[in-house]
Amino acid sequence: MDGENPASARFSFEVRGRDAATGARLGVLRTAHGEIPTPVFMPVGTAGTVKALPHEWLEALDARVILANTYHLYLRPGPERISRIGGLHRLISWPRAILTDSGGYQIFSHRELRRIEEEGVRFQSHLDGSSHFLTPESVMDIQRVLGSDIAMVLDDCTPYPCGHPDAEISMELSTRWARRCAVHWSRDCHEARALFGIVQGSTFADLRTRSAEALLDLGFEGFAVGGLSVGEPKSAMFEVLEHTLPLLPDTRPRYLMGVGTPRDIVRAVALGVDMFDCVLPTRNARNGCLFTSEGRLLIKNAAFADDERPPDPDCTCLTCRRYSRAYLRHLYVSGEYLSATLNTMHNVTFYLDMMGKIREAIASKSFGKWLERMEKWPE
Ligand SMILES: [Zn+2]
């Protein structure tokens, strides 16, 4: 039922090609739930659903991996129930790979509801106010129960702006937690599953260096760059990436968490990032914002009321093949459920198609041209 294939049940990553002029690389992640060509975009399915999209549609789009969130699934339906049903893949009927975020970011974004201690984080549920205490070890246990193909360490997500002393304290706590996660994970290590470390350190190069160096010793299967896209200027985000990515081992996958716009993604691929997730395509879809080859399209605009063209003439998704801007606008302004579904279908297709084109461009040695074109994409 959950589609796990024991014959290939060993997590691995292989770099298969490189762009000559940039840091962009082609690769493949192998998991017990299928191969994932990289660079890859992982649609966000926080609570075990990529909001508004049935899983057969995601499969039809050839989404190979989705992201789910440990914090949300821990609160509801809860690890005990998920365990009884046989894991998250089985509960949600998703046979392909799942990466679970540790929940650090979600816990820390509810600032008034949580207290950080050395041992872990104490917080109140945003659902019912109940009290909880999560430790690096318990977050590993929960992700093991979920059956994540890729699990993430619990980290302290530094807010922006943040002074150097506070960023240092936060990064050091994240490092100690990462060590505890690695030790606990290795006690019952399932070789089909991978644990990724998360580099923190806000916008300070020296802290990013120390964070990365400390994580390198802990034997993670991959590395994420965390704490970005939290309000800092774009220039600061790319400075951190340019500084941090070369510190990470070339043989391991690199994951930029929570980024970003199409242009951000293409630029980050050029610096050597392999994996992305972001709520933009799905959240914007529900807010009536469509990503198209000509830029963003705000479907509620009156200009589309009589427009019989598809949202994006260059797109072949189910939405664009059949429905007009006029209809999508009508659905949106009427508050119809189908609006979210059709818009999400299109935006997720746009992101996944873009990643496919990036991979083709790297393979055919034309990534530079692609980069140039995306620089002109009207963001
Ligand atoms: Zn479309």
Side-chain angles (χ1 to χ4, degrees):
M1 171 69 187
D2 72 358
E4 191 158 324
N5 175 8
S8 61
R10 189 180 181 88
F11 180 90
S12 69
F13 176 68
E14 183 193 339
V15 177
R16 286 183 163 173
R18 291 172 197 279
D19 179 56
T22 70
R25 55 204 210 151
L26 268 185
V28 61
L29 291 158
R30 291 193 191 86
T31 76
H33 293 94
E35 292 197 350
I36 305 162
T38 63
V40 64
F41 179 79
M42 305 180 283
V44 175
T46 303
T49 160
V50 176
K51 290 187 196 308
L53 276 196
H55 289 160
E56 50 268 61
W57 288 18
L58 277 170
E59 284 179 49
L61 291 179
D62 205 21
R64 300 291 183 93
V65 52
I66 60 174
L67 179 143
N69 190 271
T70 304
Y71 166 79
H72 288 89
L73 295 165
Y74 160 78
L75 289 178
R76 187 171 61 192
E80 295 80 13
R81 181 161 286 143
I82 294 174
S83 173
R84 281 198 300 275
I85 287 175
L88 187 60
H89 289 86
R90 191 174 176 99
L91 171 68
I92 72 172
S93 185
W94 174 252
R96 299 182 178 178
I98 298 175
L99 178 146
T100 46
D101 191 358
S102 66
Y105 180 80
Q106 282 69 25
I107 295 167
F108 296 110
S109 60
H110 297 289
R111 302 187 72 74
E112 68 290 354
L113 298 176
R114 52 96 172 137
R115 201 170 78 230
I116 301 163
E117 300 167 10
E118 181 64 32
E119 186 55 25
V121 57
R122 209 171 284 286
F123 65 98
Q124 281 182 293
S125 162
H126 71 287
L127 297 173
D128 61 8
S130 55
S131 296
H132 300 267
F133 187 62
L134 285 177
T135 65
E137 290 80 10
S138 66
V139 167
M140 293 299 96
D141 290 337
I142 298 165
Q143 292 182 89
R144 200 173 272 137
V145 164
L146 296 178
S148 327
D149 297 283
I150 301 171
M152 303 300 297
V153 297
L154 182 67
D155 60 336
D156 181 26
C157 212
T158 319
Y160 182 87
C162 182
H164 191 282
D166 286 342
E168 183 171 25
I169 290 167
S170 167
M171 179 277 286
E172 286 178 343
L173 179 66
S174 286
T175 304
R176 291 192 296 275
W177 282 1
R179 189 169 296 121
R180 284 167 55 188
C181 286
V183 167
H184 195 71
W185 183 263
S186 67
R187 281 191 190 144
D188 183 18
C189 195
H190 188 314
E191 63 178 14
R193 298 181 191 155
L195 178 64
F196 281 22
I198 305 176
V199 180
Q200 289 287 353
S202 188
T203 50
F204 303 103
D206 62 320
L207 300 185
R208 290 280 174 182
T209 301
R210 279 168 51 195
S211 173
E213 285 174 353
L215 295 178
L216 290 187
D217 293 333
L218 299 176
F220 293 113
E221 295 281 355
F223 295 89
V225 184
L228 293 176
S229 204
V230 290
E232 78 284 0
K234 287 266 156 105
S235 55
M237 177 175 94
F238 282 101
E239 274 170 31
V240 169
L241 277 181
E242 281 177 39
H243 172 79
T244 306
L245 292 169
L247 304 172
L248 302 175
D250 186 61
T251 52
R252 295 279 195 269
R254 303 156 178 172
Y255 165 27
L256 175 54
M257 303 180 83
V259 176
T261 66
R263 200 191 288 168
D264 292 340
I265 288 179
V266 179
R267 283 181 183 168
V269 165
L271 295 175
V273 175
D274 308 298
M275 304 165 68
F276 299 88
D277 80 282
C278 187
V279 294
L280 264 191
T282 40
R283 183 178 290 163
N284 278 11
R286 299 195 299 282
N287 293 327
C289 173
L290 301 177
F291 292 93
T292 78
S293 50
E294 288 152 7
R296 294 181 197 224
L297 192 148
L298 299 176
I299 202 67
K300 71 175 177 201
N301 286 350
F304 301 128
D306 298 298
D307 193 336
E308 289 208 77
R309 288 174 296 170
D312 185 350
D314 287 350
C315 178
T316 57
C317 82
L318 288 176
T319 303
C320 291
R321 282 209 301 256
R322 181 154 185 170
Y323 303 105
S324 65
R325 295 176 183 184
Y327 184 51
L328 295 182
R329 176 179 187 273
H330 163 68
L331 292 176
Y332 182 79
V333 298
S334 309
E336 289 290 341
Y337 294 128
L338 187 59
S339 171
T341 295
L342 294 182
N343 291 350
T344 304
M345 180 70 191
H346 168 75
N347 275 358
V348 172
T349 304
F350 182 85
Y351 267 66
L352 295 183
D353 276 3
M354 174 177 76
M355 302 316 291
K357 286 172 190 161
I358 288 172
R359 292 191 298 268
E360 277 168 33
I362 300 171
S364 64
K365 316 279 179 213
S366 59
F367 181 72
K369 257 186 225 150
W370 230 89
L371 196 59
E372 250 171 60
R373 205 176 117 196
M374 281 312 285
E375 291 294 338
K376 292 184 199 124
W377 190 79
E379 194 154 276

